[in-house]
Amino acid sequence: MAAPTTNKKLIAWVDEVVKLCKPDNVYWCDGSQAEYQRLCDEMVKGGTFLPLNEKTRPGCYLARSHKSDVARVEDRTYIASAREEDAGPSNKWAEPVELKKKLTGFFAGCMAGRTLYVIPFSMGPLNSPIAKIGIELTDSPYVVVNMRIMTRMGAEVLKKLGDGAFVPCLHSIGAPLKPGQKDVPWPCEPDPERKYIAHFPDDPAIWSYGSGYGGNALLGKKCLALRIASVLAQKEGWMAEHMVILSLTSPAGKTHYITAAFPSACGKTNLAMMLPTLPGWTVKCLGDDIAWLRIGNDGRLYAMNVETGFFGVAPGTSNQSNPNAMTTITKNTIFTNVALTKDGDVWWENIGYDAPSTLIDWQGKEWKAGPDQKEKAAHPNARFTAPAAQCPVIDPEWQNPDGVPISAMLFGGRRPGTIPLINEALSWEHGVFMGSSAGSETTAAALGQAGVLRRDPFAMLPFCGYNMADYFAHWLSFAEKTDRRKLPKIFFVNWFRKDESGKFLWPGYGDNSRVLKWVCERVEGTGAAVSTPIGNLPTENGLDISGLKIDKSDISKLLAVDIAGWKQEAASIEEHYKQFGNRLPAGLRKELEALKKRLGA
Ligand code: O2Y
Ligand code: MN
C-alpha cells in the first residue's frame, strides 16, 4: 500500500520500522467506519472478538486478553530522559541509548506474519491550537479499533499533519508468527520481564513492547497525553493533567466548569457524569480522564478533553453508581475481560443485579454463581471502550477547540480519617500544596496493604513524565503567568470519610452535587464558610442537605477539623516531601511550615 502522505519524516520512519520489525503487510488507517467494521469482522473470524447480542448490545464486542496482560504495567514503564534526575523519584529511569539498543533487539522481526497498521491520531480536536498529532505503528488490530473510539484518527489527521511534526509511537504485541503458525485470540509477550513501556521525552518518542492492553498499548492515552505531554506542557507553559472535566448548572441557569483529579478507585468517571440529587441542578460531562489546560486570552485557565471515548472500569459500574455510563455502553462498545451471559450480554461484579446461574468468565471458562464461587467472573480491571458522544449527558462544549474556562479544581482521595468532606484552599499556592500531598488509602486486601496511605500527587504519580518536584514548581508558576484572581479556586474533597465504627459518613454519588453546589457558591462569593487552620470549610449550615437523610452529628464529623490528626498529616507530608530533596520548590516548604504554624505544631 502506497503511503497516503508526502511527509518525508513519516515515510522514512515507517520504512525504518518495516525494515526492523518485518511485518508481512503495511496498512495505513483511514479512520472510516467501513475500515473499523472490516477489522472487527476480521477479529471475529480470528477469535479475538466475540459479537454480543445484536438486539440488546448492537455493535458491541467482547475481547478476552491473555491472563498475563490485564492492566497497565507500572513496573515495566520507563522514562528514558538523558539525565536520571530529570525522571525524578517517582519514575523508573533507563539510559535512553542503552534502552533503545535493547528494545531494537526485541523489535527485530517482531511483526513477522502480521500487518503493521499506521494510525495517525490527534489528541485534541483537529482545529484546536493545542492539539498534538501522534502516529502509532502497531501490529494489533485491537489497538486500531480502540484508538478509533478513543482518538480522532485517520485520513483527516494525515491531512492536518501535512509535512509537520508528530510524536512517533511504536507498538508491538511482541508475538511474531512463524510461517503457517496458527494465531491465538490475544497474542502478546507472556514474559513480564520482556514488556517495556518506554518514553523518550527528549525526542519525544514512545516505544511499547509486549502488551496489547489499555494504557500499555493505546499510546495516545497515558503515554502521549500524560507522560510525554506533561514534559511538553512544562516547556511550553501549559498543563497536561489526569483530570475529569464537568459542567454544573444551577436551577437559575448559571454554569461553572470544574476539573477533578483523584487517584484510581475514587469514582472519577462516576463524578464526571453524575446524576445530581439536588433538584434543578444538572451535571454534564466533558471528559473522564485527561485534560489539557492553558491560559486563555482573557487570563482564565481553559481545559480541553483530548480524547473522544471512555476506557472505563466495568466492575462497579451500575445504574446506581453511574446510570449515564450504563446508557453510554449500550451500543458500539468494546468490552474487554468482562463475563458473558448465555444470551450474549455482559455481566460484571457490582453491575447492580445478581449474576445469572451460569456465565462464561473473563478467561472463557464456565462460571457458576453461588456461595462456593471464589473467582470473579469479570477481571477487576475489565474495561469498556465507548464513544464519548454516546454519553447522554455529554456537554455541548466538549469538543470546543479552545476548551472551557475553569472555575474550580478539585483534588481528592480515599481518606477514612482526618480529611474533611470539602476544604477550600486559602490561595493558589495552598491549593498546589493540597494537590502535591493528595493520596488514597488502599482498599484491596489483595494488594496485601489495605489501609496504607499512598500519596499520589495530583493523581499523576504514574503519569508525570519528568521530575515531580519540577512539576510542582510548574504548577506554582501559574500564579505568575496570569492575574491570580482569574485562576480557578482549588478544593480538596473526601467522599470516603468514615466514623469510628467504619461506616461511611457521606452517601456520595449524586449527593456529591451538594458539595459541588457549595464549590460554585464559593466561586461566586456567596457560600458560607469558616476559616480554619487547614482551609475554608462550609459552616454547619453551609451545605445544602435538603431532602437528604443524614444526622446533623454526621455533618459535624464530616466538617470537623481534627487538629491532632492534622498534626500527624503534616508530619506525614513532610516525610513524603523528603524524597524530592532540595528540588522541592521553596513555595511548598513554605506552605507546609505555614500549615504547621496554624495548627500550633
Ligand atoms: O489498565 C489499563 O491499562 C487502563 S489504565 C486507565 C484507563 C482509563 C483511564 N484511566 C486509567 C488509569 O490508570 O488512570
Ligand atoms: Mn486515568
Side-chain angles (χ1 to χ4, degrees), residues 254-536:
K254 172 90 185 138
T255 295
H256 285 287
Y257 297 100
I258 297 174
T259 63
F262 305 150
S264 53
C266 290
K268 247 173 95 193
T269 304
N270 298 346
L271 179 77
M273 45 187 95
M274 172 222 290
L275 210 58
T277 51
L278 272 180
W281 288 77
T282 50
V283 164
K284 295 212 162 173
C285 174
L286 292 99
D288 82 325
D289 198 37
I290 297 174
W292 286 359
L293 303 100
R294 70 185 172 121
I295 307 277
N297 293 335
D298 60 359
R300 295 188 68 191
L301 196 56
Y302 283 68
M304 178 178 86
N305 173 13
V306 294
E307 300 184 286
T308 53
F310 306 130
F311 189 68
V313 181
T317 305
S318 69
N319 277 326
Q320 196 244 331
S321 67
N322 196 336
N324 289 317
M326 291 299 275
T327 306
T328 307
I329 61 179
T330 48
K331 56 182 181 184
N332 308 322
T333 298
I334 299 165
F335 294 91
T336 305
N337 289 346
V338 303
L340 175 71
T341 69
K342 67 173 187 309
D343 48 0
D345 203 355
V346 289
W347 190 87
W348 48 76
E349 280 69 23
N350 298 318
I351 195 173
Y353 48 88
D354 289 341
S357 54
T358 60
L359 285 169
I360 305 296
D361 74 7
W362 70 276
Q363 294 187 67
K365 294 197 289 249
E366 190 170 306
W367 182 98
K368 286 196 190 311
D372 299 333
Q373 182 55 258
K374 298 282 179 283
E375 301 292 324
K376 299 227 183 286
H379 187 278
N381 193 39
R383 296 276 166 170
F384 53 77
T385 321
Q390 288 182 187
C391 178
V393 293
I394 197 75
D395 190 279
E397 294 297 313
W398 81 282
Q399 306 214 63
N400 187 327
D402 295 320
V404 291
I406 299 303
S407 299
M409 292 174 141
L410 314 183
F411 298 115
R414 189 177 272 274
R415 300 294 303 267
T418 310
I419 313 297
L421 175 63
I422 173 88
N423 182 11
E424 179 197 313
L426 302 169
S427 63
W428 178 257
E429 288 79 0
H430 184 221
V432 175
F433 170 75
M434 285 176 165
S436 74
S437 52
S440 251
E441 280 195 19
T442 48
T443 51
L447 291 174
Q449 283 188 308
V452 172
L453 175 63
R454 289 228 177 103
R455 301 270 172 203
D456 183 356
F458 296 85
M460 282 288 280
L461 193 67
F463 306 123
C464 182
Y466 61 106
N467 191 309
M468 207 143 210
D470 300 349
Y471 166 83
F472 297 159
H474 182 54
W475 263 83
L476 288 169
S477 75
F478 276 75
E480 275 88 57
K481 285 190 177 19
T482 187
D483 174 350
R484 60 164 62 235
R485 290 167 305 181
K486 294 191 174 174
L487 286 169
K489 272 184 174 289
I490 300 181
F491 299 81
F492 199 96
V493 297
N494 177 21
W495 318 131
F496 302 95
R497 184 77 185 255
K498 289 181 174 171
D499 68 9
E500 316 71 42
S501 67
K503 176 184 83 92
F504 284 114
L505 287 164
W506 182 247
Y509 302 109
D511 286 314
N512 292 338
S513 58
R514 300 168 189 278
V515 175
L516 298 188
K517 178 182 174 188
W518 185 78
V519 164
C520 293
E521 287 168 352
R522 291 299 295 165
V523 168
E524 289 172 5
T526 57
V530 296
S531 169
T532 82
I534 61 165
N536 298 325

Side-chain angles (χ1 to χ4, degrees), residues 108-143:
C110 70
M111 295 187 186
R114 303 196 178 275
T115 295
L116 182 160
Y117 300 92
V118 183
I119 311 175
F121 65 93
S122 172
M123 300 315 291
L126 279 169
N127 57 346
S128 167
I130 64 166
K132 298 269 179 213
I133 291 180
I135 307 284
E136 179 161 353
L137 304 188
T138 180
D139 49 6
S140 163
Y142 171 89
V143 166

